[in-house]
Amino acid sequence: MAEVILENLSKSYGKQKAVIDMNMTIEDGSFVVLLGPTGAGKTTTLRLISGLEKIDEGSVKIDGRVVNEEIPAQRDVAMVFQQYSLYPHLSVRNNLAFPLRSPILKTSKDEIKRKVDEVAEILQISHKLDNKATELSGGEMQRVSIGRALVRDPAIFLMDEPLSSLDARLRADLRIELKRIHHDLGSTLLYVTHDQIEAMTMASHVGVLQEGELVQFGSPREIYENPTSVYVAARLGSPRINLLPAAVFNDTPNDVHTLGLRPEHIAYGDGEDATVKRIEHLGDHTRLHLDFKGHAVTGLSPEGNPYTQGSTIKIKPVNPLCFNEAGNRITGRVA
Amino acid sequence: MSFSVTEPSSRQKWFAGTLVITYALITMIPLLWIMMTSFKTPPDSISYPPKVVYEPSLEGYVNLFTTRTRLSPEALAELPPPENFAEEIVRNRNMVIAGPSKFGGRFLNSVIIGFGSTFLSIFLGTLAAYAFSRFKIPLADDLLFFILSTRMMPPIAVAIPIFLMYRQLGLSDTHLGMILLYTAVNISLAVWLLKGFIDEIPREYEEAALIDGYTRFQAFYKVVLPQAATGIASTAIFCLIFAWNEYAFAVLLTSGTAQTAPAFIPTIIGVGGLDWPAIAAGATIFLLPVMIFTVLLRKHLLRGITFGAVRK
Ligand SMILES: Nc1ncnc2c1ncn2[C@@H]1O[C@H](COP(=O)(O)OP(=O)(O)O)[C@@H](O)[C@H]1O
Ligand SMILES: [Mg+2]
C-alpha cells in the first residue's frame, strides 16, 4: 500500500521506443487500469516499475523513495505475469508459499499455512493445493499466479492481463473478487487489460497508452465520455464507437473531420434514412447494424426492438464527439 | 479397426522392437564376453574352442585384488588349512596370498578423478552457461565459439606441451592435475550442452522469483537449478564417461599415486602368460560405477538426452 509516481519515464529496446516520457501518479489505494493495443508499452511499464527492466531515463518513486537503483526484491512489488509463470517443480501450495518464504518476508510456518489456505479459498483452488503446478489447467495456473501475488501485502500489485486466459464465467467471478480484495485491503493496483468491462468496472483511474505514450489519464467515466482523441475514444465502449466522416451530415463546422457516435449518440425516428442490415439479439440488449449512406453504423435498438431486417429507419446524431483531421477532440457541437 | 496418426501400429512396434533388441544384443556381446571371462579360471579362459558353458570361479577377482607367491608343495602342505575361499583358490595353484594388489588404490584414483572432474566441469559449466544464456556478455558468440574450438582437435594432440607444463608445475601424477586436465577437456561440452538446457527454461520463472523477494543468485539456485536438473544429469554422465574412460593422458601423465584404473588394468600380468580372468574382472568392476551412475540418473537422462527438444 503506497503511492507510486512515474516521472518522465522512458525505455527503448535498441531503436524501438517502448515507453516515452511517461508521467503518472498512482495514488495510494487506487486501482489504475492501463489500456492500449498490443505493443503500446503496457508490459514494459510494469516491468520498469517492478525493476525487471532497467530504466533509461526518468524515475520511479514508490512510497516516496526513488527506486531506480533497487533490485525487484527491495521494491516490494507483486506482479502477475501475462504468461503464467508458476514454478513447475513445486506443488501449488509451495508455489503460493514461495514469496512468503523469501529472505525478505521470512514468514512463520503457521502464518504461511493460514495465508495460503485463505488465498486458495478465494481463488477456488483449495482442492488442487497438493497438485504439481504442471498438473493444472491454464485457468487454474493463472489463478495460482494471481494467488502468489495475493498472499503478500506489497506496496503495489502489478497485474498484466491476469484474467485474459480464463473463461468468461471465471473471469466474471475473479473480477468481482479482485475488486473486493482491493476494497478490503485498500491495496494499490496497476492493472493491464484489453477487456473494457474490466476497465469500466474495476478501475478508479484509466490510463490510455498509445505507442509508448500516456495519452490520457482519468476516471473511466471521463475516458469514456470525454476522450481527447479518436484513439482514446476507440478504446472503450461496446459496441465500439462509430467513426464517420463529418461530411455525411449537413451543417457540421468546417474544422470537424470525423464524428464519433456511440450508440447513445444515435436518436431513432428522426433525421436521415438508414437501412437495417442485421439485428443481433444479445439477450439483455439488441444491436442494430445499419447502413448509413454507405457507412456501417452499429447502434443499440430501443427497448422491445421495433425494427426488422431490411427496413429503413431514420437516425440522427445527438451530441456526437467531434474530432479534427489529426484525430484530436474538438469540443464543439453539431447542430 | 481404427488408425491413428501418432500411435504406431502393432507391426511397426514389433519391427522397431526387434531392431532395437538386435542392436542391443550386438553391442552387449563384448560386455557379456568380458563378464563371462571374469568368472572363468585361467585355463578355461584360453581354451579352444572357447567355452560358453563352464564352472564359474572367482579366481579372476582373487587374482585382481591380490599379489601371490609360489610355494613348493612341501611348504604348502605344512601350512594351516586355508582361512577363506580366496586362500583356497590360490592354494590350488600352489601359491599363497602375499598381500593386496594395487587395483583397489587405482580404482579409488579413478573414482576421485572421474567424479571430481565431473563435479568441477558441471559446477563451472552451469555458472558459465547461465551467464551466457541470461546476461548481455560482450562478444558472447565469439567466446562460445572459442570455448568450442578447444575441442576441434583431439586433446592428445597437445599431449607434449601438457606433459612438459605439468612437469614444470608439479602436476604430473597428481589427482589435482588429472582433475584439472579432464575438466579442461570437458568444460566446453558442459557449457554448450548446459546453455542449451538453460536457454529452454523461460526467464519468467526467475523474474517471478526476483519479484517474489529473492536475489538473482537465490533465484538461480531455487528456480533455475531444479529445472536444469535433467540437463545437468545428462551432461554429468557425458563428462563422467569421458573422464572415467580416458586412457592416453592417464598413461602419459600418471604412473603411481594418481594412476587411474584404465592405465593400470592392462599392466596386470599373470604368472606365465596374461591373466585374462583378472583383466576381465578389472574391466567388469571398472564398468560398474558408470553403470550405477547412469541407472541412478536414468529418469533424468531419458528426458535430457533429447537436448531439450521435448519439454513439459
Ligand atoms: N525485450 C524486448 N526486446 C525488444 N523489444 C521489446 C522487448 N519488449 C518489448 N519490446 C517492444 O516494446 C514495445 C512495447 O512492448 P510491450 O510493453 O510488451 O507492449 P504491450 O504489453 O502493451 O503489448 C513493443 O514494440 C515491443 O515490440
Ligand atoms: Mg503485454
Side-chain angles (χ1 to χ4, degrees):
Chain A
M1 280 169 277
E3 185 183 52
V4 174
I5 301 174
L6 313 183
E7 279 173 356
N8 307 101
L9 197 62
S10 295
K11 174 76 189 175
S12 313
Y13 295 103
K15 278 193 176 156
Q16 174 72 45
K17 290 186 169 155
V19 168
I20 303 165
D21 199 24
M22 186 180 295
N23 286 285
M24 181 158 61
T25 300
I26 301 158
E27 286 166 27
D28 189 5
S30 63
F31 196 129
V32 175
V33 165
L34 286 183
L35 280 180
T38 304
K42 307 180 299 290
T43 299
T44 306
T45 306
L46 298 192
R47 292 174 62 88
L48 287 170
I49 297 172
S50 64
L52 291 177
E53 217 65 67
K54 218 171 143 43
I55 295 167
D56 283 353
E57 271 166 64
S59 66
V60 174
K61 258 190 211 163
I62 297 178
D63 203 12
R65 68 182 200 285
V66 175
V67 297
N68 288 26
E69 299 304 322
E70 292 183 4
I71 62 169
Q74 293 169 313
R75 298 190 187 193
D76 189 24
V77 298
M79 183 152 161
V80 179
F81 289 76
Q82 196 166 359
Q83 287 110 2
Y84 20 85
S85 52
L86 299 186
Y87 309 118
H89 59 293
L90 298 180
S91 67
V92 171
R93 180 181 292 285
N94 285 332
N95 261 282
L96 291 173
F98 197 78
L100 297 173
R101 295 197 179 119
S102 78
I104 288 192
L105 290 184
K106 281 202 205 110
T107 320
S108 74
K109 271 208 171 107
D110 296 343
E111 182 70 5
I112 289 178
K113 182 166 167 29
R114 195 185 62 74
K115 284 221 165 156
V116 167
D117 287 341
E118 180 189 319
V119 166
E121 187 71 30
I122 291 175
L123 296 169
Q124 305 165 27
I125 41 176
S126 303
H127 57 296
K128 299 274 181 169
L129 276 176
D130 295 313
N131 283 37
K132 274 195 77 171
T134 44
E135 299 166 347
L136 301 178
S137 72
E140 287 163 344
M141 286 192 188
Q142 192 59 353
R143 273 180 280 163
V144 178
S145 312
I146 296 172
R148 211 171 50 198
L150 293 184
V151 292
R152 293 173 53 191
D153 183 18
I156 183 168
F157 287 102
L158 306 169
M159 300 200 180
D160 199 351
E161 308 192 25
L163 306 186
S164 56
S165 61
L166 304 181
D167 63 55
R169 169 86 197 286
L170 200 57
R171 200 166 351 164
D173 283 358
L174 282 184
R175 208 159 57 211
I176 293 167
E177 205 53 59
L178 279 179
K179 187 76 193 153
R180 188 185 67 73
I181 291 166
H182 168 245
H183 183 265
D184 291 356
L185 301 178
S187 38
T188 313
L189 261 120
L190 183 57
Y191 187 101
V192 168
T193 183
H194 272 116
D195 183 315
Q196 67 134 355
I197 301 180
E198 284 173 30
M200 293 300 284
T201 56
M202 302 202 286
S204 61
H205 302 80
V206 173
V208 180
L209 294 189
Q210 179 175 15
E211 289 169 19
E213 284 182 87
L214 182 67
V215 288
Q216 195 172 354
F217 187 82
S219 70
R221 255 195 109 79
E222 224 173 300
I223 303 286
Y224 182 82
E225 290 175 0
N226 263 321
T228 56
S229 66
V230 169
Y231 179 88
V232 175
R235 301 266 74 83
L236 287 182
S238 169
R240 264 170 80 123
I241 191 165
N242 298 290
L243 296 166
L244 300 173
V248 300
F249 296 103
N250 305 322
D251 46 75
T252 38
N254 274 340
D255 53 341
V256 175
H257 182 265
T258 310
L259 283 184
L261 289 169
R262 293 202 191 275
E264 61 269 30
H265 297 143
I266 302 172
Y268 299 91
D270 188 11
E272 297 176 78
D273 283 351
T275 318
V276 179
K277 285 283 186 200
R278 211 148 43 83
I279 299 175
E280 275 184 316
H281 298 285
L282 297 174
D284 56 341
H285 65 274
T286 303
R287 282 186 187 179
L288 291 178
H289 294 270
L290 307 169
D291 180 79
F292 179 69
K293 296 184 181 174
H295 299 278
V297 172
T298 309
L300 290 179
S301 177
E303 193 84 12
N305 182 40
Y307 310 116
T308 53
Q309 194 164 330
S311 60
T312 302
I313 59 177
K314 287 191 185 302
I315 61 166
K316 189 182 142 189
V318 182
N319 300 334
L321 305 171
C322 303
F323 302 98
N324 67 14
E325 199 161 351
N328 292 324
R329 178 85 181 281
I330 315 170
T331 35
R333 283 273 167 99
V334 194
Chain B
M1 224 171 121
S2 68
F3 293 94
S4 155
V5 186
T6 50
E7 194 57 20
S9 72
S10 61
R11 254 183 65 195
Q12 284 170 318
K13 275 188 196 167
W14 189 87
F15 180 72
T18 313
L19 217 63
V20 169
I21 290 172
T22 313
Y23 178 72
L25 283 179
I26 292 171
T27 52
M28 298 269 288
I29 284 173
L31 285 181
L32 199 68
W33 191 253
I34 289 175
M35 282 183 203
M36 280 170 68
T37 305
S38 76
F39 290 105
K40 286 180 179 175
T41 58
D44 279 351
S45 74
I46 51 169
S47 75
Y48 187 86
K51 286 192 177 175
V52 179
V53 183
Y54 56 92
E55 197 181 328
S57 153
L58 284 173
E59 187 167 346
Y61 290 88
V62 172
N63 289 355
L64 177 67
F65 282 102
T66 58
T67 56
R68 303 156 303 278
T69 42
R70 186 172 292 278
L71 293 184
S72 63
E74 300 76 42
L76 271 178
E78 284 173 19
L79 289 175
E83 283 170 17
N84 51 40
F85 77 96
E87 191 79 28
E88 199 177 323
I89 289 173
V90 173
R91 295 252 181 110
N92 289 338
R93 303 263 176 235
N94 293 338
M95 291 190 283
V96 289
I97 292 173
S101 75
K102 289 180 184 162
F103 182 76
R106 301 304 192 250
F107 187 81
L108 189 65
N109 285 344
S110 265
V111 170
I112 293 170
I113 291 167
F115 284 87
S117 78
T118 300
F119 175 81
L120 195 59
S121 306
I122 293 295
F123 178 76
L124 297 175
T126 309
L127 291 180
Y130 180 76
F132 275 119
S133 174
R134 295 296 198 255
F135 301 136
K136 282 207 187 79
I137 297 176
L139 300 178
D141 289 346
D142 303 278
L143 281 173
L144 278 169
F145 181 79
F146 171 72
I147 289 173
L148 188 66
S149 71
T150 60
R151 290 304 297 272
M152 288 183 186
M153 58 183 174
I156 201 69
V158 289
I160 292 171
I162 285 180
F163 180 79
L164 296 175
M165 188 170 86
Y166 266 44
R167 212 175 47 184
Q168 282 292 317
L169 295 173
L171 286 172
S172 297
D173 204 13
T174 62
H175 292 104
L176 179 66
M178 295 313 285
I179 289 176
L180 289 179
L181 181 68
Y182 291 161
T183 304
V185 175
N186 271 332
I187 193 97
S188 66
L189 176 83
V191 170
W192 272 78
L193 281 185
L194 287 167
K195 179 174 178 297
F197 285 111
I198 292 176
D199 282 343
E200 289 287 314
I201 303 172
R203 284 158 186 261
E204 278 85 4
Y205 296 141
E206 284 146 271
E207 294 185 336
L210 291 181
I211 301 234
D212 282 345
Y214 294 81
T215 64
R216 182 163 284 274
F217 184 75
Q218 289 161 342
F220 168 75
Y221 180 75
K222 292 211 174 238
V223 177
V224 180
L225 271 195
Q227 303 223 61
T230 295
I232 289 175
S234 31
T235 310
I237 288 175
F238 284 116
C239 290
L240 179 69
I241 288 175
F242 170 81
W244 189 256
N245 291 340
E246 205 285 327
Y247 177 73
F249 277 111
V251 168
L252 185 73
L253 295 175
T254 67
S255 51
T257 352
Q259 191 180 45
T260 55
F264 174 74
I265 292 174
T267 68
I268 304 170
I269 300 170
V271 186
L274 281 177
D275 188 349
W276 289 113
I279 293 176
T284 303
I285 292 179
F286 179 69
L287 287 173
L288 286 177
V290 176
M291 257 165 65
I292 294 171
F293 191 63
T294 311
V295 168
L296 285 180
L297 298 182
R298 179 178 77 236
K299 195 181 78 197
H300 294 297
L301 191 63
L302 283 178
R303 279 192 302 146
I305 208 91
T306 56
F307 299 112
V310 188
R311 257 196 347 107
K312 283 203 167 175

